[in-house]
Amino acid sequence: MAQPQKRVYEAWKGNNRFLFGGRLIFGPDAKSLLVSVSLIVVPVLVFCVFVARHLRHQFSTYNAGYAIPVVAVLFMIYVLMLLFITSAQDPGIVPRASHPPEEEFAYGNPLSGGTPGRLQFPRVKEIMVNGMLVKVKYCDTCMIYRPPRCSHCSICNNCVERFDHHCPWVGQCIGQRNYRYFFLFVSSSTLLCIYVFAMSALYIKFLMVEDYPTVWKALKHSPASLVLMIYCFIALWFVGGLTGFHTYLICTNQTTYENFRYRSDNRPNIYDQGCLNNFLGVFCSNTKPSKHKFRAYIQEEVRAPVVNFGRQMEEEPAGGPRAKVEDDLEIGSDLLQISQRRNYGDIDVEMRSHDCTEMESIPNTKLAIGSESHIPAIGSEVRVRHSSWDRRSGNWDMSLDVIGRSASDVIRRSASGSEATPSFQTENH
């Protein structure tokens, strides 16, 4: 019975967590959302119960006092929605590749310091961005060259476009697709703290006007107001500081990652388009669609061979029984045809001369180099060494003696070997 086909989110290689059948994607530390939600909801509820309800009658005109708790609750819902949108969507994850970039393969050049015969590709490339060269690095995990301003998040184990940082309070990476909502969440939280702090202070003032002439007596009458004011003051240093910092980043079109990494390099900011255009790019541009369809079924990729070796590479290790049988069958074929069929110097042909008694014991054979007749495998051994991919080093490793030999070298060696061996011919009767 065939197994059901998996969806993309079921075979996801990152550390993300999916809910509702792949409709929502969170970071691996999504549990921190519970802490963030409680830090928002609990103070607002305390404010509505112990402060806002006493302020309802202070603004008797049109019953405006009732708007105080309503505004607080609506503000809280708005902040929670921004928090949810920031943490529950794709931040801009770059799709992984199923194999390294084959078009970048090249043999190592010993003149440039490379290892001869080692099939490799550059770890860093330079591309043109806004008229300036920008270096992009190769990601060993995702097997791609990262786009400009992209970085690999070690927590989520994904490459994220316009990577800003990984926020533990949100439980998600902040990238190109959710940075706008993250900034709105932080700035809205700042405004909510200011609102609760101001309304609590206003309630203390009303208490001092009525029956509690001193601040201490008013605070003793409403300890909740004191706690809320202290809490909001501390929170303002955090969310308020983030709001100011990210306002500066938006004005200069930087990310947190770029600001901390390149601060001391004095690099020109090639992405800065002016304060107004930078703000418009963040808040007025369309959000790019996700490059992943998490609920789609996985399509098996038919991958072309990395290098055309003339025949399909074997899955077995070199020297296995199947490779040995095939090599034995090919021993009697022409050496030049063997070298052409197994291209790229991935064959190690070793001719070993045997004793004359061994050679004379083989009847009805002729040794003819360069002719169309078959060459007997007299003391010869054909060994095939398959190249193997090392994902950690990112190189194709080939032995040096394999790369250095060509078909002509093999023929010359075999010819010299035949001169050193007593010549013989067997006659057919």
Side-chain angles (χ1 to χ4, degrees):
M1 182 177 179
Q3 296 181 353
Q5 193 174 4
K6 288 186 177 181
R7 298 182 186 267
V8 172
Y9 78 92
E10 294 176 332
W12 188 253
K13 295 182 180 180
N15 298 331
N16 303 89
R17 297 181 179 180
F18 295 88
L19 294 180
F20 301 105
R23 293 177 175 86
L24 301 178
I25 174 174
F26 295 90
D29 48 352
K31 291 182 179 180
S32 61
L33 279 173
L34 299 177
V35 179
S36 301
V37 170
S38 62
L39 291 176
I40 298 171
V41 174
V42 173
V44 173
L45 293 180
V46 172
F47 170 76
C48 292
V49 173
F50 296 99
V51 177
R53 70 185 183 93
H54 298 292
L55 291 173
R56 291 177 301 171
H57 305 292
Q58 298 295 335
F59 302 92
S60 58
T61 305
Y62 301 108
N63 292 324
Y66 287 92
I68 295 176
V70 173
V71 170
V73 172
L74 293 179
F75 221 147
M76 178 190 69
I77 295 174
Y78 175 68
V79 171
L80 292 177
M81 288 178 59
L82 291 173
L83 173 62
F84 179 78
I85 294 173
T86 303
S87 61
Q89 69 169 326
D90 176 12
I93 300 174
V94 181
R96 300 185 183 214
S98 58
H99 51 80
E102 300 167 0
E103 66 276 3
E104 302 292 339
F105 288 163
Y107 283 99
N109 187 0
L111 299 179
S112 60
T115 303
R118 172 164 293 185
L119 200 57
Q120 56 191 5
F121 55 90
R123 312 293 297 177
V124 178
K125 292 199 307 182
E126 289 185 343
I127 63 174
M128 190 70 67
V129 178
N130 296 333
M132 295 188 65
L133 289 176
V134 176
K135 292 182 179 181
V136 293
K137 296 182 179 180
Y138 177 77
C139 179
D140 291 299
T141 303
C142 300
M143 292 187 287
I144 59 170
Y145 284 100
R146 300 168 187 163
R149 314 189 79 179
C150 173
S151 183
H152 190 89
C153 176
S154 59
I155 299 176
C156 294
N157 197 24
N158 297 313
C159 280
V160 180
E161 288 185 299
R162 201 185 182 278
F163 177 78
D164 191 87
H165 69 288
H166 182 93
C167 182
W169 300 102
V170 172
Q172 179 66 281
C173 286
I174 308 302
Q176 186 179 49
R177 300 189 68 251
N178 63 350
Y179 180 77
R180 176 191 308 173
Y181 304 103
F182 171 77
F183 179 81
L184 292 175
F185 161 70
V186 173
S187 57
S188 300
S189 300
T190 302
L191 295 178
L192 180 59
C193 288
I194 295 175
Y195 178 79
V196 173
F197 182 90
M199 291 296 104
S200 300
L202 182 62
Y203 179 54
I204 296 297
K205 181 181 179 181
F206 285 141
L207 290 178
M208 292 175 61
V209 171
E210 295 177 353
D211 300 327
Y212 305 93
T214 63
V215 176
W216 177 248
K217 291 182 178 180
L219 292 176
K220 287 182 63 176
H221 179 75
S222 178
S225 298
L226 176 61
V227 173
L228 288 173
M229 292 173 64
I230 295 175
Y231 174 81
C232 292
F233 179 79
I234 296 174
L236 273 174
W237 282 98
F238 177 70
V239 293
L242 280 177
T243 301
F245 176 66
H246 282 280
T247 301
Y248 161 74
L249 293 180
I250 294 174
C251 291
T252 56
N253 200 350
Q254 298 183 68
T255 64
T256 303
Y257 180 80
E258 293 170 347
N259 181 266
F260 280 91
R261 183 171 183 180
Y262 305 128
R263 178 184 301 173
S264 59
D265 293 348
N266 295 325
R267 294 187 180 185
N269 186 4
I270 63 175
Y271 304 105
D272 189 5
Q273 299 177 354
C275 182
L276 179 60
N277 291 329
N278 293 337
F279 266 94
L280 293 177
V282 173
F283 297 104
C284 299
S285 61
N286 295 327
T287 303
K288 292 184 178 181
S290 175
K291 295 183 179 180
H292 297 274
K293 295 182 179 179
F294 300 106
R295 290 180 50 78
Y297 290 101
I298 298 176
Q299 301 294 332
E300 295 184 1
E301 178 183 2
V302 180
R303 178 189 170 192
V306 174
V307 181
N308 184 12
F309 289 96
R311 75 179 199 180
Q312 187 176 3
M313 296 177 62
E314 306 292 340
E315 295 293 335
E316 306 170 335
R322 179 177 175 182
K324 188 175 188 318
V325 171
E326 292 182 358
D327 292 337
D328 292 339
L329 293 177
E330 292 176 353
I331 285 177
S333 61
D334 185 75
L335 288 176
L336 183 57
Q337 295 178 359
I338 295 177
S339 64
Q340 291 176 349
R341 183 193 309 172
R342 299 184 176 183
N343 204 355
Y344 294 92
D346 201 16
I347 304 174
D348 184 10
V349 183
E350 297 181 359
M351 305 296 297
R352 297 179 183 176
S353 300
H354 283 213
D355 296 334
C356 297
T357 56
E358 269 186 341
M359 298 186 342
E360 293 175 355
S361 63
I362 303 178
N364 300 326
T365 59
K366 288 184 178 183
L367 181 62
I369 305 298
S371 63
E372 295 181 357
S373 60
H374 295 291
I375 299 175
I378 302 176
S380 65
E381 182 179 359
V382 181
R383 297 182 181 179
V384 180
R385 297 183 181 180
H386 294 280
S387 57
S388 60
W389 172 252
D390 186 356
R391 289 184 59 184
R392 291 176 294 180
S393 63
N395 296 322
W396 288 82
D397 293 331
M398 298 183 183
S399 59
L400 298 180
D401 56 339
V402 173
I403 299 301
R405 297 176 183 171
S406 61
S408 60
D409 297 331
V410 175
I411 294 176
R412 286 198 298 269
R413 288 179 56 194
S414 61
S416 62
S418 63
E419 291 177 0
T421 307
S423 59
F424 70 96
Q425 288 185 354
T426 59
E427 298 180 357
N428 298 328
H429 297 283

